[in-house]
Amino acid sequence: MNRLAAFLGVALLSLHPGQAMATDRMIDVPAGDLGFAIRILSRQADLSIGLGDRRLAGLDTRRVRGRMTAEEALVRLLEGTNARAIRVGATAWRIVPAHPARPAAPAVPVTPPPVLAPPVPIIVTASKRNVELGDYAGDVTVLDGDRFGFGAGGVGTDAIVDQLAAVSSTHAGSGRNKLFIRGIADSSFLGPTQATVGQYLGDTRLNYNMPDPDLRLYDIERVEILAGPQGTLHGAGSLGGIIRIVRNPPRLGDFEGTAAMGGSWTQHGDFGGDFGAMLNIPLVRDEMAIRLVGYGGLDGGYIDDRQRGLEDINDVETYGGRASIRFAASDTVTIDVGGAVQSIDAHDSQYADRNAPPLTRDSPFAQGYSNDFAMADLAVSGEWGDIRFVSSTGIVRQTLDERFDASPSDDEPLAFDQASEALLVSTENRISQDRGDGFGWLAGMGLAHNQVRVTRLFGPPGDPMSATGVENSIDEFTLFAEASAQPLDGLLLTAGARVTHARLRGLGLDIPVAFATRDASADRSETTFLPSASALLELAPRHRLFVRFQQGFRPGGLAVRDEFVQRFENDRVSTIEAGWRYGEFGGSPFAIAATLAHTRWKDIQADIVDGTGFPTTANIGDGRIYTLDVQASWQPSPALTLDFGLFVNDSEVTNPLPALLLSRSAPLPNVADIGAVAGVRYESALGGDLRLNLSALGRYVGESRLGIGPMLGEPQGDFAEADLHVRIGNERSGVSLSATNIFDAVGNRFALGTPFTLGRDRQDTPLRPRTLRLGFDTRF
């Protein structure tokens, strides 16, 4: 309770952010074409600006510079052009052709129609070319940062997984989960294989061989999810797709802050709490600003250990923060320097015994884990007309320490400790051009160095001894390019390619003397070519069809098996997909997107367990995957929005490794055969400036298998859950009440706690029981 009291000590006051339109701020939009200018103005003035006619993108505009309101800046930008702006929302505008004035007609009182969500384009920045969603030939989802706001209680990656049927997680615990997109899932365990999903904070890659760091989504502008292989633009490790978190940038010339705190109670469990705060501080007027974010939280435990006589053993503490500085070096060049740290400390594992009373287990000692994450990044961007240059460099260090119960029986406790330390250094430089008439191109080069060191201990919990470990490193040099053209009206063709030369090195660690004569090292090089191609056809207004071919790969490495060090080879996926989109998500009363994909996976890398439960890695065979992903959104009124998602998956491992004893129809692990999500968002005025915001989310996860191999055939999934969030307040401050897992479903999210006792005990990782949170958020 002392820790909880410390979490609840934050409270600030705020001003109404809706004053932004009437607040003077520094605007500096260089001369150029209109398409380029509105992108710059949108970022500087916090506006959503769309083009009603794409032919307007080529209009010449004059430079706009000085302190002014956002509306004044837009008026000045359109002076002398054949275009005018129409307001379609509080901070949303649409630019349409200017028509000759008509003779004035007698004034007739007209009641304006209700304004629905503004029909402004969504920009897919993860495309590295700032492509509009309507012109992107692929399966993409953009989640607005408001869904992860300060009033949401410090949510992490689970909030993304819960909202998208095609995204899944191993649910081993915050800070050691593996994420999968669109059914491309390799295994349940953390080993030397590279992740199948590339995760980014801005342009900086967060992971390579390590788990999802589960960064808390405070002060986030949006999250972009690209489904399917993304090898051409994002390289190795993006077999299933990418998840890109976009931070709110420092705002030049503006002082602002946001804060929130909350207390929670978990049924059958303990109390928890969370706090978070953001501060934006101008350092040099209209030229430099810093943005600071800090947060912390305690997730109360809800699992009891009967053997040790302890209750609520699985609580998790999380602390972290970010800082970013923006410097406007010139009219066209911007420099961003940032950093982030986060520490997760889980006091015990998240699993329960399946054959014991609900939410209980028997274990001889705590099986806690910790994840420490730190990163620093530097980005330099410049825009000269429709030419854009971006240089980004990042350094990421992540350390994961885990303990497992490896006891062969109840009276002989043995522990297995694994420590994984990773260092990822990456840099990328790219240049692009988009003229607004369908023609565009991108070219770039990148360098990356990743090193992962895994050390292990095995023995009595108080005095374990060294066991064989492994160290893998890889250096990559990459060239990539992509170009688009519009040979016919309504037809957009895109092609690209990536060439990666990689050098891989591996070394066995702490090898027993009896095995020291074996070759325990590897050093080799390989060159990989990844092509891509797509076509997008606009059949009718708001109706688009697309077809896309893309590939992805992962390099090989070394793994440990029965004290031996062995090699595993690279793997590769090839996907062809076809999709249909109607409307624009976030910009149409009704929008729907459906994608059907077929994937071939060659030489699948998978982290498996041997006969004694020790994790290892091998190429397990080939695979094929069929998937259907459907997303829909309907806004029947300005106050109400309905969301829906459906994911259907059919997969199998073909010609599997004989030692796995699999049939040819064995499915890939961890991905359910079917999943569905449905959400409701409602907003209503209560009087004065008070408003009611209500959102509800329901999710069903079908059945899946734990992993690959004879010991890992345990079923999991087949559960449903529902959440509710209510907020009453205004734009300055509000009070919220959240209820997660409303119906207190037990459900089995993941059928593993420790791999060493799978042959003796059946395990479940239950849903967090019904949890209530009371929160307060404020802005100033």
Side-chain angles (χ1 to χ4, degrees):
M1 292 299 293
N2 290 334
R3 288 177 296 177
L4 176 60
F7 291 144
L8 302 181
V10 178
L12 299 172
L13 297 176
S14 67
L15 297 174
H16 198 306
Q19 297 170 344
M21 286 292 294
T23 301
D24 286 349
R25 61 181 68 201
M26 184 60 191
I27 301 294
D28 190 356
V29 180
D33 62 65
L34 183 57
F36 162 74
I38 63 174
R39 290 200 300 269
I40 301 297
L41 181 59
S42 296
R43 290 198 295 268
Q44 294 183 1
D46 295 327
L47 297 179
S48 295
I49 307 174
L51 288 175
D53 187 334
R54 291 182 56 185
R55 291 172 295 184
L56 298 175
L59 294 178
D60 292 330
T61 60
R62 64 185 66 182
R63 182 177 183 179
V64 178
R65 179 179 171 84
R67 294 197 66 84
M68 64 192 78
T69 67
E71 186 171 355
E72 289 172 342
L74 184 57
V75 171
R76 292 190 189 183
L77 183 69
L78 297 179
E79 288 179 355
T81 68
N82 187 33
R84 61 191 177 97
I86 301 174
R87 186 194 294 270
V88 292
T91 59
W93 297 77
R94 192 164 183 82
I95 298 176
V96 298
H99 299 290
R102 297 181 178 180
V108 178
V110 176
T111 301
V115 178
L116 295 176
V120 296
I122 296 175
I123 304 298
V124 184
T125 58
S127 67
K128 299 189 177 182
R129 288 174 45 199
N130 290 349
V131 176
E132 290 187 13
L133 176 59
D135 293 335
Y136 184 80
D139 187 355
V140 57
T141 303
V142 179
L143 300 176
D144 190 81
D146 289 344
R147 300 196 186 193
F148 317 108
F150 278 85
V155 296
T157 308
D158 271 356
I160 301 173
V161 174
D162 289 345
Q163 295 183 62
L164 299 176
V167 181
S168 58
S169 166
T170 57
H171 297 296
S174 174
R176 63 172 180 174
N177 292 322
K178 297 177 73 170
L179 300 180
F180 308 117
I181 298 178
R182 199 194 271 173
I184 301 180
D186 54 358
S187 56
S188 307
F189 308 99
L190 295 173
T193 58
Q194 190 177 357
T196 63
V197 174
Q199 292 179 253
Y200 292 82
L201 184 62
D203 283 318
T204 300
R205 177 128 191 196
L206 299 179
N207 66 333
Y208 199 92
N209 298 77
M210 294 294 280
D212 165 31
D214 199 17
L215 298 183
R216 294 300 181 260
L217 301 178
Y218 281 115
D219 196 40
I220 295 301
E221 179 181 319
R222 65 186 179 278
V223 176
E224 300 176 354
I225 301 95
L226 304 187
Q230 304 294 325
T232 296
L233 295 183
H234 296 277
S238 58
L239 275 66
I242 70 162
I243 296 176
R244 182 172 184 263
I245 301 170
V246 182
R247 296 161 286 190
N248 282 316
R251 302 189 190 280
L252 303 179
D254 292 334
F255 179 86
E256 60 180 351
T258 309
M261 63 178 180
S264 60
W265 171 73
T266 298
Q267 190 164 342
H268 321 294
D270 204 353
F271 290 92
D274 60 84
F275 70 87
M278 180 278 294
L279 200 60
N280 190 93
I281 307 171
L283 299 178
V284 178
R285 182 178 175 87
D286 302 328
E287 293 183 4
M288 183 182 294
I290 185 171
R291 196 173 186 94
L292 304 171
V293 177
Y295 54 84
L298 171 65
D299 297 325
Y302 49 88
I303 292 176
D304 300 337
D305 192 310
R306 300 185 303 169
Q307 183 172 340
R308 292 181 289 153
L310 300 176
E311 296 182 346
D312 307 327
I313 59 175
N314 61 318
D315 54 341
V316 180
E317 294 183 34
T318 303
Y319 298 93
R322 299 196 309 269
S324 53
I325 298 176
R326 169 160 289 188
F327 173 50
S330 69
D331 294 342
T332 57
V333 177
T334 301
I335 301 174
D336 290 289
V337 181
V341 294
Q342 182 172 279
S343 177
I344 299 173
D345 183 14
H347 298 168
D348 214 321
S349 192
Q350 308 297 304
Y351 75 96
D353 291 338
R354 187 176 302 181
N355 298 324
L359 303 178
T360 67
R361 75 161 184 261
D362 297 317
S363 53
F365 51 84
Q367 301 173 65
Y369 69 90
S370 64
N371 183 311
D372 294 316
F373 174 90
M375 67 161 284
D377 63 337
L378 168 68
V380 180
S381 60
E383 298 194 22
W384 299 272
D386 55 8
I387 302 292
R388 178 175 174 81
F389 171 77
V390 176
S391 175
S392 60
T393 301
I395 302 175
V396 175
R397 179 178 291 276
Q398 190 175 175
T399 302
L400 176 66
D401 295 316
E402 304 172 277
R403 166 162 281 199
F404 297 94
D405 178 11
S407 306
S409 63
D410 293 337
D411 57 357
E412 186 183 354
L414 293 175
F416 175 74
D417 296 336
Q418 180 167 280
S420 304
E421 302 177 24
L423 174 67
L424 173 60
V425 181
S426 60
T427 183
E428 181 180 283
N429 299 275
R430 64 182 187 266
I431 188 170
S432 61
Q433 179 186 30
D434 284 285
R435 299 193 315 203
D437 59 357
F439 175 79
W441 58 269
L442 165 74
M445 61 84 64
L447 298 170
H449 168 76
N450 184 78
Q451 182 173 349
V452 178
R453 181 183 180 92
V454 180
T455 56
R456 294 167 167 177
L457 300 173
F458 181 72
D463 188 26
M465 301 179 63
S466 295
T468 303
V470 69
E471 181 177 296
N472 282 297
S473 66
I474 182 170
D475 294 289
E476 294 182 359
F477 172 72
T478 292
L479 297 174
F480 60 93
E482 184 179 83
S484 299
Q486 191 170 341
L488 301 173
D489 189 31
L491 176 63
L492 185 66
L493 303 178
T494 302
R498 187 183 193 96
V499 178
T500 298
H501 180 75
R503 182 183 180 187
L504 304 94
R505 293 181 295 276
L507 178 67
L509 305 174
D510 299 320
I511 301 174
V513 175
F515 304 100
T517 58
R518 293 180 56 89
D519 181 14
S521 64
D523 190 336
R524 72 178 189 271
S525 298
E526 59 186 35
T527 300
T528 305
F529 176 74
L530 298 174
S532 64
S534 67
L536 184 142
L537 177 64
E538 186 174 4
L539 293 176
R542 300 198 296 174
H543 283 275
R544 291 178 173 88
L545 296 177
F546 68 84
V547 61
R548 176 175 177 265
F549 171 79
Q550 180 69 282
Q551 292 187 327
F553 86 106
R554 294 185 295 179
L558 289 185
V560 179
R561 184 165 188 170
D562 296 328
E563 299 294 349
F564 291 96
V565 176
Q566 64 181 19
R567 300 182 183 183
F568 57 92
E569 304 300 323
N570 60 12
D571 60 354
R572 189 183 188 104
V573 299
S574 300
T575 296
I576 185 166
E577 61 188 274
W580 166 66
R581 281 200 299 265
Y582 171 78
E584 299 293 344
F585 287 88
S588 302
F590 179 75
I592 186 170
T595 305
L596 182 65
H598 171 62
T599 298
R600 287 287 181 180
W601 196 347
K602 182 175 175 58
D603 295 325
I604 300 171
Q605 296 175 12
D607 297 316
I608 58 178
V609 296
D610 61 23
T612 60
F614 281 89
T616 186
T617 302
N619 297 98
I620 64 171
D622 300 334
R624 69 109 184 104
I625 309 168
Y626 291 103
T627 57
L628 172 65
D629 186 11
V630 179
Q631 298 181 63
S633 179
W634 180 36
Q635 192 174 17
S637 72
L640 180 65
T641 303
L642 307 176
D643 299 309
F644 174 77
L646 173 69
F647 177 71
V648 180
N649 166 67
D650 179 70
S651 67
E652 68 176 11
V653 180
T654 59
N655 57 314
L657 190 70
L660 296 177
L661 303 177
L662 293 178
S663 67
R664 290 183 59 88
S665 60
L668 290 167
N670 285 298
V671 179
D673 52 0
I674 189 170
V677 296
V680 178
R681 288 173 285 158
Y682 176 76
E683 181 177 357
S684 176
L686 296 179
D689 61 351
L690 289 181
R691 301 193 68 81
L692 167 70
N693 292 85
L694 182 149
S695 63
L697 180 70
R699 178 179 176 90
Y700 171 74
V701 178
E703 185 173 301
S704 63
R705 289 166 51 98
L706 169 61
I708 297 292
M711 295 181 61
L712 304 177
E714 288 294 315
Q716 58 189 27
D718 191 20
F719 63 85
E721 58 178 325
D723 303 333
L724 179 67
H725 179 80
V726 179
R727 181 184 184 273
I728 297 177
N730 51 34
E731 295 291 343
R732 300 184 303 274
S733 58
V735 176
S736 59
L737 177 64
S738 301
T740 58
N741 193 7
I742 297 173
F743 302 108
D744 200 26
V746 176
N748 176 23
R749 306 180 83 183
F750 187 48
L752 179 71
T754 170
F756 297 94
T757 61
L758 278 174
R760 189 183 74 216
D761 302 318
R762 303 179 71 188
Q763 304 156 7
D764 287 340
T765 300
L767 294 167
R768 172 173 287 275
R770 180 188 297 116
T771 299
L772 302 178
R773 176 187 180 272
L774 181 64
F776 172 75
D777 63 271
T778 183
R779 302 173 182 267
F780 64 93

